[in-house]
Amino acid sequence: MQAILEERGYVSTVYYIDEEANEVAQAELICAERKPYGIVFLGSNLEYFTPQLAELRVPCLLLTNSAATLNIPNLSSVSVDDVSASSLMIEYLYAQGHRKIGLIGGKPDQSRPSLSRLTGSQSAMFRLGLPFEMKKQYAYARFSLQSGYTAMEYLLKHCPDITAVFAMSDLMALGAIRALRDHGLCVPQDISVTGFDGIALGQYSVPRLTTIRQDMGQLAQRSARILLHNIQKPGNAVHEIVSFDLTEGESVREL
């Protein structure tokens, strides 16, 4: 995305903040100090995105999270259908013979992708007749290796009979795999693990990770082009959904 923007003569600056911090408040400070032409939010907590965002008077875009229902005139979005993608993963694990599945994800009340992925997972479990107890089978985690590790330990303690885990990010999944190894368990022989994102690291891990792969290239290209168009010709917000696929690796065992 940066390459596309810079190709058009725009200088891009990346600001890193805590994943649970208020991105819109940060954007207000940036607008006051730097006067940007546009802003891309790689964020997940939609409660911060209110009609007040229009007061920034610059085109904005929310990446990996849909803003279609917010009706904010200067906020476009490019995202994946997280509900359908997560449903597909649960259906895949079911087809492989798994009937007790643990979930690792962010706090649904603070992370819209986590809420959508939980919704998709729960709907598939209900449809397939699979048991699900939120307190036992859902472990909270931040989008990091360490947090995935800790969440996996929570699942082992509270739901030791699970045969598979669906982690809502590849980093969480890789952290979970390390935790299982440290507890003397093998993936996928003892417990299968799947992720979400399709990061390169997951294809070099041992075992290679089965995951929902987002088309990162398409996400970046469409986001850059939509933002550039709205900078050059301000108009209505645009909301797009891009494709995903389930990439089979080596981290799931057929029961």
Side-chain angles (χ1 to χ4, degrees):
M1 184 173 184
Q2 280 183 294
I4 296 173
L5 293 172
E6 291 170 3
E7 184 181 281
R8 299 292 185 88
Y10 293 93
V11 176
S12 58
T13 303
V14 179
Y15 294 85
Y16 296 95
I17 63 174
D18 185 87
E19 66 184 58
E20 296 178 2
N22 186 336
E23 290 179 288
V24 175
Q26 180 69 28
E28 291 173 348
L29 292 175
I30 293 169
C31 284
E33 296 172 358
R34 302 292 300 274
K35 310 298 182 185
Y37 289 102
I39 299 175
V40 176
F41 295 96
L42 183 59
S44 58
N45 194 342
L46 295 188
E47 73 176 41
Y48 298 132
F49 292 85
T50 67
Q52 184 178 347
L53 185 69
E55 296 178 8
L56 296 182
R57 300 188 182 280
V58 297
C60 298
L61 185 138
L62 187 56
L63 180 57
T64 72
N65 203 351
S66 177
T69 61
L70 300 182
N71 298 316
I72 300 175
N74 65 327
L75 181 63
S76 298
S77 62
V78 180
S79 60
V80 167
D81 186 342
D82 287 314
V83 173
S84 296
S86 298
S87 293
L88 178 63
M89 182 58 81
I90 297 300
E91 291 165 359
Y92 170 79
L93 290 172
Y94 180 87
Q96 301 303 308
H98 296 278
R99 299 295 182 265
K100 197 67 173 290
I101 301 169
L103 304 178
I104 295 176
K107 294 180 179 179
D109 61 337
Q110 296 180 359
S111 167
R112 180 56 67 92
S114 294
L115 174 61
S116 298
R117 293 169 194 179
L118 173 60
T119 299
S121 299
Q122 285 182 303
S123 65
M125 288 179 176
F126 178 78
R127 188 168 62 254
L128 297 169
L130 299 180
F132 183 72
E133 294 183 65
M134 187 73 177
K135 290 184 178 180
K136 292 183 177 181
Q137 289 173 252
Y138 191 93
Y140 297 113
R142 296 166 69 87
F143 287 78
S144 70
L145 292 164
Q146 177 60 54
S147 200
Y149 186 105
T150 303
M152 187 67 246
E153 291 189 311
Y154 177 93
L155 290 178
L156 288 174
K157 179 179 179 181
H158 292 85
C159 199
D161 57 340
I162 55 174
T163 63
V165 173
F166 171 36
M168 296 178 185
S169 83
D170 287 350
L171 287 178
M172 293 177 187
L174 295 174
I177 290 173
R178 181 71 259 177
L180 289 167
R181 298 279 297 193
D182 287 351
H183 282 266
L185 299 171
C186 293
V187 177
Q189 292 85 348
D190 296 312
I191 295 181
S192 297
V193 177
T194 64
F196 196 117
D197 282 330
I199 64 174
L201 183 60
Q203 300 309 300
Y204 292 92
S205 63
V206 180
R208 184 175 290 113
L209 188 63
T210 293
T211 187
I212 295 292
R213 188 184 68 86
Q214 304 184 81
D215 191 333
M216 298 298 185
Q218 189 179 10
L219 281 166
Q221 289 178 12
R222 289 306 304 150
S223 296
R225 298 191 189 285
I226 289 170
L227 186 65
L228 285 170
H229 181 270
N230 286 340
I231 289 172
Q232 296 162 0
K233 296 181 180 180
N236 295 327
V238 176
H239 305 285
E240 291 190 4
I241 302 292
V242 303
S243 61
F244 65 85
D245 60 66
L246 194 156
T247 301
E248 290 187 276
E250 304 158 340
S251 61
V252 174
R253 174 192 173 200
E254 183 178 0
L255 298 183

